[in-house]
């Protein structure tokens, strides 16, 4: 089982930047798919960005494309989310999640909708 711990949240003004970090424990194969999710009060949790360590591919929600960048330091087991040009609608609790790569129809893919391991979350508040 992998343990995840997020950090880097805080309160900022619109247009500013933040970088989130997520430190993952051992069990390397359970960290091959990692992603960031967020949940705002009264809203459902949504996927923000993900990265597949197998091939380095990334994916983003449309709402953050061009503003957020997900990356991973495999040597240090740390997942990052660089968030630029933050908007009030980015206000939420941000969670890091991880799981192993799955084989689907002969392809090794990340099923971001079913990641099993989650961190405790870190709050981001963006003021107008």
């Amino acid at each position: 089982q992998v343990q995840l711990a997020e950090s880097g949240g805080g309160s900022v003004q619109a247009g500013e930047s933040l970088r989130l970090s997520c430190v993952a424990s051992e069990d390397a194969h359970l960290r091959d798919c990692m992603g960031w999710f967020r949940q705002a009060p009264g809203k459902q949790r949504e996927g923000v960005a993900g990265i597949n360590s197998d091939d380095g591919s990334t994916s983003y929600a449309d709402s953050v494309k061009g503003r957020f960048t997900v990356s991973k330091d495999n040597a240090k087991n740390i997942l990052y989310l660089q968030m630029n040009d933050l908007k009030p609608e980015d206000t939420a609790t941000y969670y890091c999640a991880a799981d192993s790569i799955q084989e689907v129809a002969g392809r090794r893919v990340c099923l971001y909708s079913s990641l099993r391991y989650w961190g405790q979350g870190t709050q981001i508040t963006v003021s107008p």
Side-chain angles (χ1 to χ4, degrees):
Q1 185 168 351
V2 61
Q3 306 290 329
L4 303 168
E6 306 94 338
S7 62
S11 297
V12 297
Q13 300 288 321
E16 294 183 342
S17 298
L18 280 174
R19 188 176 78 160
L20 301 183
S21 299
C22 172
V23 179
S25 64
E26 299 301 319
D27 302 309
H29 73 286
L30 294 177
R31 294 184 267 105
D32 285 339
C33 297
M34 296 189 74
W36 290 100
F37 297 76
R38 67 186 181 186
Q39 188 167 20
K43 295 187 177 181
Q44 288 190 333
R45 186 175 63 199
E46 62 173 346
V48 175
I51 186 166
N52 179 331
S53 294
D54 215 32
D55 60 12
S57 60
T58 57
S59 64
Y60 295 92
D62 288 343
S63 59
V64 306
K65 282 180 181 177
R67 300 188 297 123
F68 291 11
T69 302
V70 62
S71 61
K72 189 180 175 194
D73 185 330
N74 289 315
K76 296 181 179 179
N77 303 330
I78 301 176
L79 179 74
Y80 298 103
L81 185 68
Q82 178 66 43
M83 304 180 292
N84 298 328
D85 189 24
L86 282 160
K87 304 177 185 299
E89 51 264 42
D90 294 319
T91 295
T93 300
Y94 284 70
Y95 299 89
C96 168
D99 210 327
S100 55
I101 287 174
Q102 304 297 317
E103 187 146 337
V104 178
R107 296 178 58 217
R108 288 168 56 80
V109 298
C110 286
L111 300 178
Y112 293 111
S113 61
S114 57
L115 300 181
R116 291 177 293 169
Y117 305 105
W118 292 80
Q120 294 299 308
T122 186
Q123 176 67 35
I124 292 176
T125 302
V126 185
S127 302

